[in-house]
């Protein structure tokens, strides 16, 4: 019988572990991956954080890099490994949780190997659960290579020929930048009127300005927080205008439908596509938690991580409390609040 079972060994689970370990709770972290940091290592090779070192610290141990450095995915994973080793957290890897149910004040956590029991459960699985691609992707010819951005590593995965990149978020534009840099014809599907913010402005990092004006601290329930939450997220540190102006890049608007080797977009029909990268986001999946109340978006109903089920907590969700909840450095504020709530 554990005091706590934490599900997920990335930044959210590690931050909560810091506070639980310091207070002497009996807990165990369960994670489905083979190694700490896998959620980062599995992303594309050239991925770097938008946030510089000084905004990436987990509680109790600073990120080991100089100020102003933008870490790679490998550096983040290595930081997580060092963090877990430094505090000697109890972690069981290769353990996929298949269900959680509560009976008579006890949580029963089922995995593929065994069952665990705990008085409390903290779900720290993050927001990236099921990679989403439009249903019509199934109608495409098998000759076309299709890769969701979750599985994209580098251009070597692509076959020769033209590529279509779908998705107007940070991932979509970064991947479009990398693929089109080869000179091969590359189509872009998505909004082009996106707001772009530089990583540095007037000698200071964007995140320095965000912290000064309180952009990362507005509650999701505040007037300005609601406005920020509803607005389209800006692209950070990627020169979208320059990428879209390249001679080998053509913006075709929204992708509408597909049939065999023909892809219909707002501006034209494409019949010369060899590869598609779907940078089309994710859908949440909490169906494995019995009796959980969900929002219309599919996320758990909660008050700053405290669910409607006593003893069941969430951390690492987008906008758990503020815009900063989704950042590596912002997780410590949510973890401290959740721990204080538990203690009181």
């Amino acid at each position: 019988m554990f005091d706590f079972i934490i599900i997920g060994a990335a930044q959210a689970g590690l931050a909560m572990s810091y506070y639980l370990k310091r207070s002497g709770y009996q807990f165990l972290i369960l994670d489905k991956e083979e190694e700490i940091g896998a959620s980062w290592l599995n992303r594309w090779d050239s991925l770097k954080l938008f946030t510089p070192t000084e905004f990436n610290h987990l509680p109790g141990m600073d990120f080991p890099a100089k100020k102003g450095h933008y870490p790679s995915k490998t550096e983040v994973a290595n930081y997580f490994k060092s963090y877990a080793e430094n505090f000697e957290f109890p972690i069981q890897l290769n353990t996929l949780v298949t269900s959680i149910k509560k009976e008579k004040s006890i949580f029963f956590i089922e995995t593929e190997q065994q069952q665990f029991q705990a008085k409390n459960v903290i779900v720290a699985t993050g927001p990236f659960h099921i990679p989403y691609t439009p249903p019509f992707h199934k109608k495409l010819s098998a000759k076309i290579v299709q890769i969701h951005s979750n599985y994209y590593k580098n251009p070597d995965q692509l076959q020769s020929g033209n590529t279509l990149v779908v998705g107007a978020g940070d991932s979509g534009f970064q991947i479009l930048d990398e693929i089109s840099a080869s000179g091969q014809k590359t189509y872009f599907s998505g909004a082009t009127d996106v707001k772009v913010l530089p990583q540095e402005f007037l000698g200071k990092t964007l995140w320095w300005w965000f912290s000064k004006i309180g952009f990362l601290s507005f509650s999701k329930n505040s007037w300005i927080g609601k406005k920020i939450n509803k607005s389209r997220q800006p692209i950070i540190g990627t020169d979208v205008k320059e990428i879209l102006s390249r001679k080998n890049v053509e913006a075709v608007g929204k992708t509408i439908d597909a049939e065999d080797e023909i892809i219909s977009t707002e501006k034209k029909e494409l019949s010369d596509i060899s590869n598609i990268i779907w940078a089309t986001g994710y859908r949440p999946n909490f169906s494995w938690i019995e009796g959980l109340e969900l929002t219309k978006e599919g996320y758990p109903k909660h008050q700053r991580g405290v669910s409607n089920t006593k003893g069941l907590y969430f951390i690492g969700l987008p906008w758990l409390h503020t815009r900063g909840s989704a950042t590596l450095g912002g997780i410590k504020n949510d973890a401290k609040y959740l721990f204080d709530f538990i203690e009181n």
Side-chain angles (χ1 to χ4, degrees):
M1 174 67 68
F2 292 94
D3 293 322
F4 289 86
I5 289 285
I6 299 176
I7 303 171
Q11 60 260 33
L14 294 176
M16 281 306 306
S17 298
Y18 170 79
Y19 291 108
L20 296 180
K21 179 72 180 285
R22 194 172 62 168
S23 295
Y25 285 105
Q26 294 296 312
F27 71 96
L28 177 65
I29 309 172
L30 303 177
D31 194 282
K32 65 183 177 65
E33 303 291 352
E34 295 181 355
E35 61 180 321
I36 302 295
S39 58
W40 288 87
L41 293 173
N42 290 341
R43 306 302 298 279
W44 68 91
D45 294 343
S46 60
L47 175 67
K48 288 185 179 292
L49 263 66
F50 301 125
T51 49
T53 295
E54 58 270 31
F55 295 95
N56 297 327
H57 304 316
L58 292 176
M61 179 179 164
D62 287 353
F63 197 102
K66 65 181 181 180
K67 184 178 179 180
H69 173 67
Y70 292 91
S72 68
K73 66 173 189 176
T74 304
E75 290 175 301
V76 176
N78 288 338
Y79 173 47
F80 289 176
K81 290 172 184 174
S82 298
Y83 190 84
E85 291 171 2
N86 181 65
F87 294 112
E88 299 180 331
F89 295 146
I91 301 175
Q92 183 169 311
L93 298 171
N94 295 301
T95 305
L96 175 66
V97 174
T98 56
S99 71
I100 298 175
K101 63 180 179 180
K102 186 180 183 183
E103 294 180 1
K104 297 180 180 179
S105 300
I106 299 298
F107 288 94
F108 295 86
I109 300 95
E110 297 286 349
T111 74
E112 294 179 327
Q113 300 94 338
Q114 64 194 108
Q115 183 191 81
F116 297 90
Q117 297 180 22
K119 300 172 185 175
N120 304 274
V121 172
I122 300 173
V123 179
T125 53
F128 304 135
H129 297 159
I130 303 174
Y132 173 78
T133 51
F136 58 75
H137 86 276
K138 296 179 181 178
K139 298 193 291 182
L140 282 162
S141 167
K143 295 179 181 178
I144 298 175
V145 171
Q146 299 187 62
I147 306 174
H148 189 276
S149 58
N150 187 70
Y151 307 107
Y152 172 79
K153 298 291 185 181
N154 56 58
D156 291 340
Q157 293 172 287
L158 308 180
Q159 60 185 346
S160 61
N162 301 338
T163 297
L164 170 66
V165 178
V166 184
D170 282 302
S171 299
F173 282 113
Q174 285 187 32
I175 293 171
L176 176 68
D177 181 22
E178 181 171 79
I179 291 176
S180 63
S182 68
Q184 179 67 46
K185 178 71 175 182
T186 311
Y187 294 97
F188 171 71
S189 175
T192 57
D193 59 340
V194 295
K195 293 181 180 179
V196 179
L197 298 177
Q199 285 188 303
E200 296 189 3
F201 180 69
L202 296 178
K204 299 289 186 180
T205 68
L206 176 65
W207 299 95
W208 184 90
W209 289 105
F210 279 174
S211 63
K212 286 298 180 183
I213 66 175
F215 179 78
L216 301 176
S217 303
F218 294 116
S219 164
K220 67 178 181 181
N221 297 317
S222 66
W223 176 83
I224 193 166
K226 290 178 181 178
K227 195 170 183 64
I228 295 170
N229 194 7
K230 290 180 180 179
S231 62
R232 182 187 294 169
Q233 186 170 315
I235 304 302
I236 298 174
T238 300
D239 192 343
V240 170
K241 187 176 181 180
E242 185 278 322
I243 296 169
L244 293 175
S245 69
R246 294 174 185 173
K247 292 182 179 180
N248 64 311
V249 174
E250 181 178 350
V252 293
K254 183 180 179 181
T255 298
I256 301 170
D257 201 357
E259 186 71 46
D260 197 28
E261 296 181 37
I262 305 297
I263 301 164
S264 301
T265 72
E266 286 182 315
K267 294 187 177 180
K268 64 190 300 186
E269 283 195 342
L270 306 176
S271 59
D272 59 345
I273 300 298
S274 298
N275 312 280
I276 302 178
I277 305 297
W278 298 104
T280 42
Y282 300 80
R283 295 293 183 268
N285 176 24
F286 294 95
S287 61
W288 44 280
I289 305 176
E290 187 177 285
L292 182 65
E293 291 189 78
L294 300 175
T295 66
K296 62 181 180 179
E297 293 81 19
Y299 287 101
K301 289 186 177 181
H302 67 89
Q303 291 294 326
R304 203 167 175 179
V306 181
S307 81
N308 295 342
T309 301
K310 186 176 181 181
L312 179 62
Y313 306 96
F314 292 87
I315 188 167
L317 298 178
W319 278 94
L320 185 86
H321 179 56
T322 68
R323 174 67 180 82
S325 294
T327 65
L328 178 54
I331 202 73
K332 59 179 176 288
N333 295 327
D334 289 337
K336 182 62 166 62
Y337 173 87
L338 207 53
F339 175 75
D340 289 343
F341 177 90
I342 290 167
E343 286 283 86
N344 295 327

